[in-house]
Amino acid sequence: MADINLQAIHDEMVLVAYEAGRTILSANPADIGTGTKLNSVDIVTEVDQAVEKMVSSRLKAAYPDFSFMGEETYKPGTKIGPEPTFIVDPIDGTTNFVHSFPNACISLGLALHRKPVIGIIYNPYQDLLFTAIKSHGAYMTRIKGSAPQKLPLAASPRPLAGLSNALVAVEWGSSRDGPNYDLKTDVFKKLAATRETGGAMVHSLRSLGSAALNIAAVAAGQMDAYWEGGCWAWDVCAGWCILEEAGGIMVSGNPGEWNPAVDERVYLAVRGAPAGQRELVEEFWGVIGDRKMDYSV
Ligand code: IPD
């Protein structure tokens, strides 16, 4: 186990991602069975389940000693251990998928000692692939077979100049009441509001509908930050590796924690920049104040 070949695993994961992409594209969301999990906006489809089955059987066959955690087969309470663990969301952006809104992806991560070391994100609608291996950089491939572009896309990324110059991704998530929801919507409002009224007046807020694609956009330098509470390790593991390899950082979405766990469930991703990363995190945490999102139950 000590000398695992990350490049070979990455190559296999890319093949699996392309196969998943073909299955996603071949499905007509109007004809597929959908169900719900926690509530009416926490959606699962037959395609999510079929893709996860294909991914888990391919990866388990190739790497029988590795653990596997997938969104659709997750058993509540399962912990991620130090052993190599595939952490997989077969379709991240299921709501987009069921609405035929072409922004969904497969998110395939590998964690080692609970840290993301490989990230593969593939949006088949745009034939857009993001990949990274720990210490080997992050890449984006626009069309299969074309030359990968190194991330971030800008050769000299601009310094971060505070929230008032930032484009920030946020998500509504599936919990729509209670203290976490109140805190989130409060923060959305404060991020957008004018400085005169106590807000941060960010350039704007975006919700791509997929945690993985939000993080990939931050890694690429197309957005400055992404904040969410309530998502899971499979939503962030792959993107996290890509983000870090592109010079970005992942900290907790709750103030004060600079080194969150992969299954922390509250995250703030900030793009790579020659200056201003820590300041942006601190300013963001200041908007949240002394409150914390809590997804422990
Ligand atoms: C969801 C998406 C969404 C985010 C949720 C995730 P799913 O994943 O990433 O953008 O807000 O927290 O659970 O259900 O589409 O796999």
Side-chain angles (χ1 to χ4, degrees), residues 25-294:
L25 283 187
S26 67
N28 176 357
D31 288 340
I32 51 162
T34 59
T36 55
K37 295 187 274 188
L38 282 182
N39 59 29
S40 62
V41 298
D42 191 11
I43 302 167
V44 59
T45 73
E46 288 166 359
V47 186
D48 294 72
Q49 290 161 339
V51 171
E52 182 160 321
K53 204 164 171 198
M54 178 280 288
V55 171
S56 67
S57 55
R58 274 190 69 163
L59 293 178
K60 282 176 187 169
Y63 300 100
D65 298 337
F66 290 17
S67 293
F68 181 92
M69 175 182 275
E71 174 173 16
E72 310 310 341
T73 48
Y74 170 73
K75 303 261 179 307
T78 308
K79 298 277 175 250
I80 299 164
E83 73 283 6
T85 304
F86 291 113
I87 303 182
V88 174
D89 190 343
I91 303 182
D92 187 47
T94 304
T95 304
N96 286 343
F97 173 67
V98 300
H99 287 271
S100 300
F101 186 74
N103 204 63
C105 64
I106 171 155
S107 174
L108 290 176
L110 180 75
L112 189 56
H113 302 296
R114 294 174 46 82
K115 300 280 180 206
V117 293
I118 299 178
I120 310 291
I121 293 173
Y122 181 56
N123 174 352
Y125 297 101
Q126 294 171 20
D127 197 359
L128 194 58
L129 177 76
F130 296 91
T131 61
I133 301 175
K134 177 95 187 142
S135 307
H136 288 81
Y139 296 88
M140 182 177 100
T141 305
R142 279 183 200 276
I143 293 173
K144 193 175 178 191
S146 64
Q149 292 170 271
K150 197 160 174 24
L151 298 182
L153 293 170
S156 317
R158 282 192 307 269
L160 285 157
L163 282 176
S164 66
N165 286 289
L167 185 61
V168 177
V170 294
E171 288 291 338
W172 293 90
S174 53
S175 307
R176 301 290 172 80
D177 60 18
N180 291 330
Y181 183 70
D182 290 345
L183 193 159
K184 264 193 194 180
T185 48
D186 232 41
V187 169
F188 295 172
K189 201 171 162 195
K190 272 183 99 176
L191 285 170
T194 59
R195 298 241 149 202
E196 291 73 18
T197 59
M201 204 163 176
V202 295
H203 276 180
S204 198
L205 298 174
R206 296 284 178 268
S207 288
L208 302 185
S210 152
L213 291 173
N214 283 320
I215 301 169
V218 174
Q222 297 160 328
M223 289 205 273
D224 298 294
Y226 160 58
W227 179 69
E228 187 171 355
C231 48
W232 297 84
W234 48 78
D235 296 312
V236 301
C237 180
W240 191 319
C241 182
I242 295 164
L243 175 75
E244 285 189 340
E245 288 303 309
I249 54 170
M250 185 73 91
V251 301
S252 174
N254 281 331
E257 177 55 64
W258 289 92
N259 291 299
V262 67
D263 47 5
E264 186 96 359
R265 304 211 48 207
V266 286
Y267 311 95
L268 172 62
V270 177
R271 74 165 168 87
Q277 261 180 342
R278 278 189 84 86
E279 292 80 355
L280 193 96
V281 169
E282 275 158 2
E283 189 183 353
F284 206 114
W285 285 346
V287 172
I288 302 169
D290 55 9
R291 300 168 296 175
K292 277 187 193 303
M293 289 179 284
D294 180 1

